[in-house]
Amino acid sequence: MSSNFIRTLLSAAAIACIILPGAAASAAEKPGAKEHETTPGGQYQPSLDILKDIPTDQPGAQPGVPPLTNVEFNRAKQIYFERCAGCHGVLRKGATGKALTTKITRERGYEALRDFINFGSPGGMPNWGDSGELTKADIDLMAKYLLHEPPQPPEYGLKEVKASWKVLVPVDKRPTRKLNNLNLDNLFSVTLRDTGEIALIEGTSKKIAHIIKTGFAVHISRMSASGRYLFTIGRDAKINLIDLYMDPPQTVAEVKVGLEARSVETSKMKGWEDKYAIAGAYWPPQYVIMDGGTLEPLKIVSTRGMTVDTQEYHPEPRVAAIVASHYNPEFIVNVKETGKILMVNYSDLKNLKVTTIDTERFLHDGGFDSSGRYFLTAANARNTIVVVDTKTNKLVKLIKTGKTPHPGRGANFVHSKFGPVWATSHLGDDSIAIIGTDPVKHPQNAWKVVQTLEGQGGGSLFIKTHPKSKNLWVDTPLNPDAEIASSVAVFDLTDLSKPYKVIPVGDWSGITEGVRRIVQGEYNRAGDEIWFSVWNAKSQQSAIVVIDDKTRKLIKVIKDKRLVTPTGKFNVYNTRNDIY
């Protein structure tokens, strides 16, 4: 499987960064670049694979800059957004990677750019040419492209958002009761990434009930507080509002909140259930508040602003995770590049109150502790977990962990020694960090790493347990070792001193082709089964493997020709109630 396919896995904070000293890459730097490419974290390069297809104006010719034909410009733009923009930004002003403005690139010159794209650097720049990822012609093209001013995708304001808004079934035409026989509390929404669809799979029968067209590469599914509506958001920023009461369930409203996006959530505060929805965009950098029943866009707020550390202006801080507070009528919005968490109070949209909490840069994903009060989220390019009190709206702690934490929503359990804890695995190393979360009964353990476990390897994207489980499951889909990528590690929560057990999920699936990357465990409603995706390329067979959580034995392999590139799975009950 190509590393370009690996690169298009779930979005995460950028890992690679480019370094552009004046001299060309030396032979001594090549080993560092090679090491970067083959480490699990280094293999992952976030992409902005929607923006590559958005029409943009080609900058005009500039004196002393090699000209590009229209075909060359479009080819270079595609490569840049697929492989470079996740690190260096849409406008090349820098993110986790260094800035690549023309002031910098023209000072370095064509030859230095060409050599560094080819050989990479120990600082994090992949060796695109030396590894065979890009051809010599592509490297030459990219060196020229970086000497030109970057094209800017169009903005997407209220006019454009409203033009995309459709109410397919008005609220008064929707059923007043559930018309189908689906057990909604044990229904799974499964992303079929490369077909632009989701599969609704019944937890009991373990069969696909319905396939629903959505935006491209759905990043997450979120449930309304009532459990009736399912929200999906694709990378193309398209939101589908799906009514699960209908027979069959179908999209009743849709809207695009920008050109590229990753997050959606609904209001959950008591008295405000399902009144509003919110979505955050990667481009333009903004969030959109909508009516919860129709997706009518009500308010758009830009996230452009100053970074928390150097306090310099950033032109494109992307919106990462969004969760809904249980203590205030607020949405909790992670702004990736500035390192700010916004507590967006939706009780009065005309007089919008936003509390800004300065944390750490490059915020990504996270979830609540078991009490639902504290939000723990990864600033993953800074190897940090941020803790925010959603009741007082204050920063609690910045906690250093392993390399590039990637928790998903994390895993909550009661540790036999340290009390309530929350855990994260890591992209960049094999560690699992366990953090104390009880400042009342276990203050000596609160907001610190109380134990570190050693997993089977780096390249983890998700960690999972359940309040009724005695197991802690850790995937490693980005590990370069195919055997590790196609298996998961499981720890015994009753005795974490025992070594993990490897579960060969890929072998259990019966699929023999591809790498069979195993990703994102998800529990059923009862907490006695855990489901894993066996993710292959679009042209290969994929599957979902269901495991008995108590015995760790195979229950069922779900195979269906419609099950194409399954990735994220979201159980309606667990997602609605923040159970993880």
Side-chain angles (χ1 to χ4, degrees):
M1 185 176 296
S2 72
S3 57
N4 186 43
F5 176 74
I6 298 171
R7 212 165 278 125
T8 59
L9 288 174
L10 303 180
S11 170
I15 310 268
C17 57
I18 190 168
I19 295 180
L20 289 175
S26 68
E29 290 173 317
K30 290 187 186 182
K34 196 69 177 176
E35 179 184 354
H36 168 81
E37 184 212 23
T38 55
T39 58
Q43 277 197 323
Y44 183 85
Q45 303 296 327
S47 63
L48 292 128
D49 44 7
I50 301 300
L51 286 180
K52 72 178 190 295
D53 296 322
I54 301 298
T56 56
D57 293 330
Q58 181 175 351
Q62 311 246 342
V65 176
L68 295 176
T69 67
N70 188 59
V71 171
E72 289 174 328
F73 170 78
N74 287 326
R75 168 63 178 163
K77 184 183 73 168
Q78 176 181 355
I79 294 173
Y80 182 81
F81 281 113
E82 286 181 341
R83 301 174 187 251
C84 314
C87 297
H88 303 291
V90 172
L91 304 178
R92 307 206 315 243
K93 296 292 183 68
T96 49
K98 300 290 185 181
L100 292 174
T101 61
T102 53
K103 179 179 179 181
I104 295 171
T105 59
R106 291 175 186 175
E107 179 182 330
R108 304 311 185 210
Y110 163 79
E111 291 185 358
L113 293 170
R114 179 198 62 197
D115 289 343
F116 267 84
I117 296 170
N118 186 54
F119 297 126
S121 80
M125 175 66 178
N127 52 345
W128 295 112
D130 214 27
S131 65
E133 282 292 302
L134 291 179
T135 66
K136 183 179 183 299
D138 282 338
I139 290 171
D140 289 343
L141 176 62
M142 293 309 296
K144 295 175 183 177
Y145 176 80
L146 293 178
L147 296 171
H148 288 256
E149 293 294 339
Q152 179 167 329
E155 297 294 325
Y156 209 83
L158 186 61
K159 177 183 176 181
E160 290 78 16
V161 175
K162 279 197 169 182
S164 74
W165 172 49
K166 298 177 183 178
V167 178
L168 305 175
V169 182
V171 174
D172 61 359
K173 300 296 183 182
R174 300 173 196 171
T176 57
R177 60 182 178 84
K178 187 165 77 76
L179 300 181
N180 57 62
N181 295 320
L182 297 174
N183 179 1
L184 298 188
D185 274 352
N186 201 27
L187 190 69
F188 289 78
S189 173
V190 180
T191 296
L192 306 180
R193 186 196 184 279
D194 292 338
T195 63
E197 298 171 319
I198 60 163
L200 297 180
I201 302 181
E202 294 182 297
T204 303
S205 69
K206 298 173 178 60
K207 294 181 179 179
I208 296 177
H210 302 286
I211 301 288
I212 299 176
K213 294 296 293 184
T214 61
F216 173 72
V218 164
H219 193 65
I220 56 172
S221 295
R222 288 291 179 258
M223 282 68 189
S224 64
S226 66
R228 172 174 181 165
Y229 292 108
L230 169 67
F231 295 76
T232 66
I233 188 163
R235 287 194 172 203
D236 55 1
K238 181 180 179 180
I239 299 173
N240 285 66
L241 176 63
I242 298 165
D243 188 350
L244 297 177
Y245 278 15
M246 299 179 76
D247 188 19
Q250 66 185 66
T251 296
V252 294
E254 62 182 46
V255 72
K256 275 177 61 71
V257 296
L259 299 177
E260 184 140 353
R262 298 292 188 273
S263 54
V264 66
E265 183 60 290
T266 63
S267 53
K268 293 182 177 179
M269 178 67 182
K270 187 176 181 180
W272 295 87
E273 295 94 337
D274 303 342
K275 183 172 179 59
Y276 294 116
I278 185 174
Y282 269 26
W283 186 270
Q286 61 193 30
Y287 57 87
V288 181
I289 300 174
M290 300 156 282
D291 180 90
T294 66
L295 297 183
E296 179 185 3
L298 303 174
K299 195 172 191 69
I300 302 179
V301 182
S302 173
T303 56
R304 292 178 169 105
M306 314 306 283
T307 62
V308 297
D309 47 9
T310 57
Q311 296 191 43
E312 58 186 321
Y313 180 74
H314 200 291
E316 49 175 302
R318 295 169 283 182
V319 177
I322 301 177
V323 296
S325 174
H326 299 278
Y327 283 85
N328 295 296
E330 292 175 338
F331 293 118
I332 303 159
V333 179
N334 276 359
V335 185
K336 187 186 291 284
E337 276 74 25
T338 58
K340 296 178 179 181
I341 293 179
L342 309 179
M343 315 299 282
V344 180
N345 191 301
Y346 49 73
S347 62
D348 183 355
L349 298 187
K350 286 290 185 182
N351 301 285
L352 188 69
K353 179 182 177 182
V354 179
T355 300
T356 301
I357 303 175
D358 288 356
T359 64
E360 179 60 282
R361 293 187 69 187
F362 311 117
L363 296 164
H364 188 56
D365 208 356
F368 291 111
D369 76 308
S370 57
S371 73
R373 174 173 174 173
Y374 297 96
F375 178 53
L376 295 94
T377 187
N380 51 15
R382 295 284 173 90
N383 306 327
T384 297
I385 292 294
V386 175
V387 184
V388 166
D389 185 341
T390 66
K391 184 177 181 179
T392 64
N393 286 356
K394 291 184 178 180
L395 175 67
V396 176
K397 194 73 177 289
L398 301 179
I399 306 168
K400 288 296 182 181
T401 65
K403 188 175 181 181
T404 321
H406 194 284
R409 290 201 155 189
N412 287 299
F413 59 95
V414 179
H415 195 286
S416 59
K417 180 179 179 180
F418 302 112
V421 295
W422 178 93
T424 180
S425 53
H426 297 80
L427 263 168
D429 63 34
D430 61 6
S431 68
I432 294 98
I434 300 175
I435 296 170
T437 60
D438 183 4
V440 178
K441 295 182 179 179
H442 300 81
Q444 71 278 15
N445 302 325
W447 319 129
K448 64 178 68 173
V449 176
V450 295
Q451 185 176 2
T452 300
L453 306 177
E454 182 180 329
Q456 66 169 337
S460 176
L461 288 176
F462 297 99
I463 186 170
K464 203 72 175 182
T465 190
H466 187 277
K468 295 182 180 179
S469 174
K470 301 298 182 184
N471 291 319
L472 180 67
W473 302 82
V474 183
D475 70 14
T476 42
L478 294 192
N479 196 284
D481 185 309
E483 186 174 343
I484 294 176
S486 65
S487 61
V488 297
V490 58
F491 293 85
D492 183 351
L493 290 178
T494 65
D495 186 0
L496 287 172
S497 67
K498 296 194 303 187
Y500 59 82
K501 181 179 179 181
V502 175
I503 307 297
V505 181
D507 291 343
W508 286 3
S509 72
I511 297 172
T512 57
E513 63 180 340
V515 177
R516 307 171 306 179
R517 299 185 184 279
I518 309 305
V519 67
Q520 198 192 41
E522 177 77 349
Y523 277 89
N524 64 343
R525 164 69 174 86
D528 57 9
E529 296 174 358
I530 187 165
W531 296 31
F532 285 98
S533 295
V534 183
W535 185 8
N536 262 334
K538 185 177 182 179
S539 60
Q540 298 170 323
Q541 187 177 33
S542 293
I544 292 175
V545 172
V546 183
I547 299 172
D548 185 302
D549 183 68
K550 184 176 182 180
T551 66
R552 302 177 179 175
K553 302 296 184 182
L554 176 66
I555 293 178
K556 174 81 172 178
V557 178
I558 304 173
K559 291 181 179 177
D560 190 297
K561 64 180 181 180
R562 298 170 293 173
L563 203 60
V564 179
T565 56
T567 53
K569 299 165 298 303
F570 303 89
N571 176 271
V572 168
Y573 182 86
N574 294 336
T575 303
R576 183 172 85 245
N577 293 283
D578 291 315
I579 295 174
Y580 37 81

